[in-house]
Amino acid sequence: MSYTERVIDHYENPRNVGSLDKNDPNVGTGLVGAPSCGDVMKLQIKVNNGVIEEAKFKTFGCGSAIASSSLATEWMKGKSLDEAQKIKNIEIAHYLSLPPVKIHCSVLAEDAIKAAIEDYKSKNKGEMADAA
Amino acid sequence: MKNQIDYFELLHLPRSFDIDLDALEKAYITHQQKYHPDTQQGINACEKLKLMQQSVLINEAYQILKDPLKRAAYMLGCLHKEERINDSDLLEEIFDLQEEAGALSSEMDIKNFLEKIEFDIQKTFAVLGALLNENNLKDAKSLYFRAKYLSEIYKKLSF
């Protein structure tokens, strides 16, 4: 199986690799995995006034999993939480032209996005209620 | 485990994670000789096809049962399934191990690390096997995931 150009690009030049302080109340962390392929994906966001100002990831896994999470951080940056929540795995898979056997890598990235947003929201329950 | 072939039954072996590998080997050879289409004389095409299908199943049973990870996955009913998890304790541990593995530089460090992982895999299999034999599938599954992750780390590093 060969990777598409976009997968190779994200694999060789991953965007936003790194980590944020998970104890920072403005940071949401999503940690998800697919044991059958040995993938572990960590995706973190830093939120300011409801907008994702920073997104970082670190993924141990295949090229498609790395590319999917790298792309996810790129797409999340600058978006509101609600907008970011709407990112669908199928859009990631489509953009990267993932073959059917690698679709689950994009699903994992969507899981990671949702988990990070969820973590941020649960940390900031009080404030979110105040804002509403 | 509906609609799934019972590989243990197929090879006439007792259903247990602690399989006797010699008995498995013997059972495999015996059954393969019995069902292999080439060992039969004077059969028609339809009978030959049936034997071939049986022969393929026996091969499959052997390949799955001899490998402890595949055997565990099979007993858990999650063979060939791509499951996704968010068990943070396990994932954090694996994430840290992956980082540790990535930072190893000297051959000695790699050797020691691999030994540690190998030991951990064996320990995990021991508990996993006991849980599988008790049919405690829920706890067994999370240990299977752990064993699977550890084996992936081992494979990657021992390349």
Side-chain angles (χ1 to χ4, degrees):
Chain A
M1 188 195 61
S2 62
Y3 285 125
T4 62
E5 246 172 66
R6 281 175 173 171
V7 172
I8 293 168
D9 176 33
H10 274 274
Y11 179 72
E12 286 179 348
N13 312 294
R15 329 289 200 263
N16 312 308
V17 175
S19 65
L20 300 166
D21 177 11
K22 70 171 183 177
N23 297 316
D24 181 338
N26 295 319
V27 169
T29 302
L31 186 59
V32 295
S36 50
C37 11
D39 293 348
V40 197
M41 191 180 280
K42 186 189 209 169
L43 193 150
Q44 294 182 299
I45 50 170
K46 188 167 189 170
V47 183
N48 189 4
N49 283 326
V51 174
I52 297 168
E53 62 176 15
E54 237 184 304
K56 296 271 183 203
F57 87 97
K58 186 149 189 190
T59 295
F60 295 101
C62 69
S64 302
I66 290 167
S68 294
S69 38
S70 169
L71 183 64
T73 56
E74 239 190 357
W75 281 359
M76 290 178 91
K77 264 183 152 178
K79 281 199 167 77
S80 71
L81 289 175
D82 286 344
E83 284 168 340
Q85 184 104 41
K86 288 184 195 138
I87 296 172
K88 289 273 169 293
N89 89 283
I90 201 76
E91 299 168 298
I92 295 172
H94 184 249
Y95 183 88
L96 295 172
S97 310
L98 296 181
V101 294
K102 290 290 174 185
I103 298 291
H104 66 273
C105 299
S106 65
V107 180
L108 197 60
E110 185 185 321
D111 282 355
I113 293 172
K114 295 219 155 75
I117 293 174
E118 201 50 48
D119 182 53
Y120 172 80
K121 282 186 174 169
S122 75
K123 270 172 149 180
N124 293 277
K125 249 182 201 155
E127 285 83 356
M128 306 267 283
D130 291 345
Chain B
M1 240 181 275
K2 271 180 257 165
N3 302 323
Q4 206 177 17
I5 309 136
D6 190 330
Y7 291 135
F8 289 103
E9 205 179 277
L10 190 73
L11 294 175
H12 296 106
L13 291 167
R15 187 181 183 84
S16 163
F17 181 76
D18 309 307
I19 200 167
D20 177 344
L21 288 173
D22 290 335
L24 171 67
E25 187 84 31
K26 269 188 204 138
Y28 168 66
I29 292 167
T30 311
H31 283 78
Q32 204 54 288
Q33 278 167 347
K34 193 168 152 197
Y35 290 105
H36 201 286
D38 295 348
T39 61
Q40 308 292 320
Q41 301 287 318
I43 51 168
N44 64 34
C46 181
E47 286 167 327
K48 196 161 183 167
L49 183 69
K50 267 191 191 157
L51 282 178
M52 245 159 78
Q53 285 167 339
Q54 192 70 6
S55 176
V56 167
L57 279 180
I58 288 161
N59 221 340
E60 204 174 85
Y62 174 66
Q63 298 299 337
I64 287 164
L65 294 184
K66 79 169 176 182
D67 177 323
L69 270 177
K70 288 183 185 157
R71 192 190 316 138
Y74 163 68
M75 291 179 80
L76 284 164
C78 63
L79 198 66
H80 311 309
K81 275 196 196 156
E82 281 152 3
E83 299 198 41
R84 306 189 318 278
I85 60 166
N86 56 8
D87 171 351
S88 54
D89 287 344
L90 173 63
L91 289 172
E92 259 166 50
E93 190 201 354
I94 298 301
F95 195 89
D96 290 347
L97 280 174
Q98 288 276 22
E99 293 212 304
E100 193 184 332
L104 298 171
S105 50
S106 79
E107 257 176 55
M108 195 61 198
D109 287 348
I110 293 175
K111 191 174 161 277
N112 289 338
F113 184 82
L114 282 174
E115 265 171 25
K116 187 178 87 175
I117 297 287
E118 168 78 30
F119 181 70
D120 203 347
I121 292 173
Q122 294 313 327
K123 226 171 47 185
T124 308
F125 272 139
V127 186
L128 170 59
L131 290 169
L132 277 171
N133 293 341
E134 287 166 16
N135 216 24
N136 179 347
L137 299 188
K138 192 177 164 283
D139 292 338
K141 200 160 196 179
S142 94
L143 277 179
Y144 161 69
F145 289 150
R146 183 158 199 279
K148 179 79 184 161
Y149 268 127
L150 291 174
S151 304
E152 289 291 330
I153 294 174
Y154 189 92
K155 246 194 329 202
K156 203 171 91 180
L157 208 62
S158 57
F159 232 131

